[in-house]
Amino acid sequence: MSLVSIEAASSGGAPALPSRETLARAALAIAAGAAWLFFAFVTENWPDVGEWGRGPELALAAGGFGGALVFAGLLGGFFPRGAERLRRYTPWLLALGLFFTLWQATTAKFALLPQPFFPPPHALVEVFADDWPKLWESVVASIRLELLGFVAGALAGFVVGVSLGWSRAFGYWVHPVMRLIGPMPSIAWLPIAFFAFPSSFSASIFLIGLTTGFPVAVLTWSGVASVNAAYYDVARTLGASRAFLIFKVAIPAALPHVFVGLFMGLGASFAVLVTAEMMGVKAGLGFYLQWAQGWASYANMYAALLVMSLMCSGLITLLFRLRDRLLSWQKAEVQW
Amino acid sequence: MVSLAHDISTVPGVEIAVKDVSHRFDLEGAPLPVLDRVNFTAQRGEFVALLGPSGCGKSTLLRLVAGLEPPTQGGITANGEPIAGPDPSRVVVFQDPTLFPWRNVRDNVALGLEAQGLLKLRGARVEETLLLVGLEDFAKAFPHQLSGGMAQRVALARALVNDPDLLILDEPLGKLDSLTRLSMQGEIVNLWRRAGFTVLLVTHDIEEALLMATRVIVFSERPASIKADIAIDKPYPRHRDDPDLVARRREILGLLGLDASW
């Protein structure tokens, strides 16, 4: 294997040894490939203790992936830039290959983990392969509900927060109500919401909105209240109207705070989303989880959890992107 | 609100008359007097330096002239019209540049025109003013990328773009390093001589007042009252070693009770 790298490195004609870095890169890629090949071997050749589908397909895919990694490691010397990019992922790929092998061995092969509560990898593959229409439908339903509630709650919270920061009369009436209702977990409203609203869907939008709205309102309010008073002086001496002071001074200055509230609200709203779907809404990933549990289909539950984590992570990523666009004037803080 | 100063725009500058102005702050119910019967009139196109110990209340006087607060007693007029509130014909440059961090340099300079709804009509003034303060290459930079001197130049441009009749400078060079400070003193004097607006400069730097102003008003400790009103009838550019200015400096130091130093 290293012979190829040596040949590649000696491009000038005079034989030169490949750098230690090149060798380490190649070794890591090959080790990761070997782990995946071993995973494929274990999956295919060791006998299963139970009945799970899609083992051969998984073995084929893992074997192909492992072979490709080994191949990339061998040829890495020819494509230093590609190899460098691959180098970023190979430690994780190696760890994942080992983890999948361990998972496979402790479940399907030796049943060291209690069955049927810990299904093997190919059982999850089976779920994704056979049940994807239902999973997809659930994801779409969850995202729809989440976004409707989140956007409604964020808008309401933003308006309330700006008004609290700006108007004393508004604060007199709204502040006590917010102090009373805001800190309470919105899920507590669930039993009431489900009969007070025409449908469990609209009730859930209300609950998600309430969860999102509270942190957004508080953080927006504190953002507006903490705007440097000198900004207002500057704007006023330059002829700014009241509307200009609100929309062109207070709100942009408060925006970093608003985003902290949006992140808190989004994180909290996921909990409400899943609970609402488990308790009453007849769609979405929470409902899918509940349904899978009813049938004791543990593989389906793990598959749904995986999809749910991807969905939540994706939504948080979108919010980070939006923040980076709107607050590009700030020095970058957290990289998500 | 259109002040009289706008109507007679053929003559630059504005006459600012401060009549018997006293002012106090309410600190937890206990009144704190900061200005004590201050009287003076700045003529059109005059460059008046307000000099005094720090914390004596000179900056408060500027806030009153800018119309950001009404005086507790007495009145201030601009060309004979009482000042009832802030107006873009009287702009302030503060000690801190207080640029809006979410706006780039160009948009910060355009702030006044935008607030008055004049951006479409007079947008070209933004580029002209950036050129005037030498920041045309930094139009797209954000405030956190600027040095202190550059940021203060942007603040100056943000004021000048409105073609003010009165430029109110509240220790604008106080936080700059001494070299930047010297060059900006010269620049401000040049801008004033070209445009002809009236300037009120608050400073506690005697040299700065003597180098820049046509008139220096010396204030006492808080509550501030006028101790002396000295005309500086010297051509520009002035030199700090000019024997007349050195004599004036000694005189002012004496007024401030600091004649033992220097």
Side-chain angles (χ1 to χ4, degrees):
Chain A
M1 55 154 209
S2 53
L3 275 177
V4 181
S5 319
I6 291 169
E7 278 167 28
S10 59
S11 50
L17 281 172
S19 68
R20 281 185 62 171
E21 225 165 284
T22 311
L23 285 176
R25 237 163 30 197
L28 210 56
I30 290 162
W36 281 82
L37 283 171
F38 184 55
F39 170 50
F41 175 81
V42 168
T43 304
E44 183 60 32
N45 293 330
W46 294 3
D48 279 2
V49 297
E51 281 284 320
W52 292 286
R54 304 285 176 180
E57 287 91 339
L58 176 62
L60 199 67
F65 185 59
L69 274 175
V70 171
F71 195 62
L74 291 174
L75 292 184
F78 292 109
F79 307 102
R81 293 184 69 192
E84 187 50 46
R85 207 184 293 164
L86 185 63
R87 169 72 180 76
R88 262 183 266 161
Y89 304 108
T90 41
W92 258 108
L93 291 175
L94 173 60
L96 278 177
L98 293 175
F99 170 74
F100 283 141
T101 310
L102 187 72
W103 178 10
Q104 186 67 280
T106 51
T107 53
K109 306 306 175 185
F110 301 111
L112 298 176
L113 292 171
Q115 295 300 318
F117 307 110
F118 295 94
H122 47 291
L124 263 76
V125 173
E126 188 180 17
V127 172
F128 285 123
D130 298 346
D131 208 24
W132 68 265
K134 198 147 188 252
L135 270 171
W136 175 247
E137 203 179 288
S138 305
V139 171
V140 171
S142 283
I143 290 182
R144 181 156 163 261
L145 178 55
E146 168 65 31
L147 285 186
L148 282 172
F150 177 75
V151 170
L155 282 177
F158 179 74
V159 171
V160 168
V162 171
S163 310
L164 278 172
W166 202 261
S167 157
R168 204 161 286 201
F170 187 85
Y172 176 80
W173 291 107
V174 174
H175 185 207
V177 178
M178 206 177 71
R179 275 182 69 169
L180 197 66
I181 292 176
M184 194 173 73
S186 344
I187 295 180
W189 288 100
L190 203 123
I192 295 175
F194 276 170
F195 72 72
F197 278 81
S199 67
S200 58
F201 186 75
S202 53
S204 306
I205 291 178
F206 168 75
L207 292 178
I208 291 171
L210 198 63
T211 310
T212 308
F214 177 60
V216 173
V218 172
L219 269 295
T220 304
W221 173 29
S222 99
V224 171
S226 65
V227 174
N228 186 350
Y231 290 163
Y232 295 129
D233 285 347
V234 166
R236 284 174 64 208
T237 59
L238 295 175
S241 62
R242 206 175 137 86
F244 191 91
L245 292 182
I246 296 176
F247 291 103
K248 298 282 185 158
V249 183
I251 288 177
L255 219 49
H257 281 80
V258 175
F259 268 92
V260 175
L262 287 174
F263 280 110
M264 289 169 63
L266 186 59
S269 70
F270 290 147
V272 179
L273 170 73
V274 174
T275 313
E277 286 175 345
M278 284 179 162
M279 304 287 284
V281 185
K282 294 274 175 276
L285 284 171
F287 173 67
Y288 186 97
L289 265 176
Q290 187 82 348
W291 168 84
Q293 194 204 15
W295 289 98
S297 333
Y298 295 98
N300 294 60
M301 293 169 65
Y302 286 101
L305 281 180
L306 188 64
V307 171
M308 194 184 286
S309 75
L310 290 176
M311 179 189 81
C312 296
S313 176
L315 289 173
I316 293 265
T317 304
L318 279 180
L319 190 56
F320 263 100
R321 290 280 147 77
L322 182 68
R323 186 202 67 164
D324 290 347
R325 265 187 90 93
L326 284 177
L327 302 184
S328 58
W329 51 271
Q330 276 191 321
K331 289 168 229 174
E333 285 160 3
V334 184
Q335 286 292 320
W336 171 253
Chain B
M1 188 198 84
V2 178
S3 73
L4 196 62
H6 274 311
D7 303 330
I8 43 170
S9 53
T10 41
V11 188
V14 60
E15 181 197 274
I16 297 290
V18 178
K19 289 176 198 145
D20 251 338
V21 165
S22 296
H23 195 69
R24 51 181 178 269
F25 291 132
D26 257 333
L27 289 181
E28 318 251 325
L32 176 76
V34 280
L35 294 172
D36 183 23
R37 276 169 294 139
V38 176
N39 270 294
F40 72 90
T41 300
Q43 303 299 332
R44 264 174 206 217
E46 230 183 342
F47 194 133
V48 181
L50 310 177
L51 192 67
S54 71
C56 77
K58 356 179 245 309
S59 296
T60 306
L61 181 58
L62 289 196
R63 288 181 67 81
L64 304 183
V65 175
L68 289 168
E69 286 167 50
T72 317
Q73 271 167 33
I76 306 175
T77 58
N79 284 344
E81 293 274 305
I83 289 174
D87 187 275
S89 68
R90 303 182 300 268
V91 292
V92 190
V93 179
F94 295 95
Q95 182 172 19
D96 289 309
T98 48
L99 303 178
F100 290 4
W102 58 91
R103 285 173 170 246
N104 64 23
V105 166
R106 175 185 286 118
D107 293 344
N108 263 291
V109 173
L111 191 69
L113 296 180
E114 194 184 323
Q116 298 158 54
L118 295 172
L119 198 53
K120 282 229 173 73
L121 205 64
R122 285 160 60 186
R125 283 289 290 142
V126 176
E127 313 298 328
E128 284 170 32
T129 315
L130 281 173
L131 210 61
L132 195 66
V133 297
L135 283 172
E136 63 279 13
D137 294 337
F138 291 88
K140 290 199 173 140
F142 278 95
H144 72 83
Q145 299 166 310
L146 303 177
S147 71
M150 282 157 79
Q152 200 53 280
R153 269 202 184 96
V154 177
L156 195 60
R158 180 178 63 187
L160 294 175
V161 79
N162 303 287
D163 296 316
D165 297 315
L166 173 68
L167 186 61
I168 300 173
L169 303 172
D170 188 359
E171 295 190 45
L173 311 178
K175 284 188 175 169
L176 302 182
D177 65 274
S178 52
L179 292 177
T180 310
R181 197 176 167 134
L182 283 181
S183 68
M184 281 195 71
Q185 285 170 353
E187 281 174 46
I188 292 174
V189 166
N190 287 339
L191 289 168
W192 159 68
R193 292 176 70 197
R194 212 180 314 165
F197 41 67
T198 309
V199 181
L200 288 182
L201 166 75
V202 154
T203 179
H204 52 239
D205 182 338
I206 300 175
E207 219 163 59
E208 184 168 287
L210 291 173
L211 283 172
M212 296 175 78
T214 53
R215 189 172 152 204
V216 178
I217 298 179
V218 183
F219 284 89
S220 68
E221 299 267 348
R222 196 183 59 231
S225 58
I226 294 179
K227 268 196 161 174
D229 192 336
I230 305 163
I232 313 292
D233 195 8
K234 279 268 168 192
Y236 298 91
R238 295 171 180 171
H239 199 277
R240 59 190 57 231
D241 298 334
D242 184 317
D244 281 355
L245 292 185
V246 173
R248 287 284 157 78
R249 183 169 66 201
R250 194 165 299 129
E251 179 191 343
I252 294 170
L253 279 167
L255 286 167
L256 295 171
L258 295 165
D259 35 350
S261 22
W262 268 101

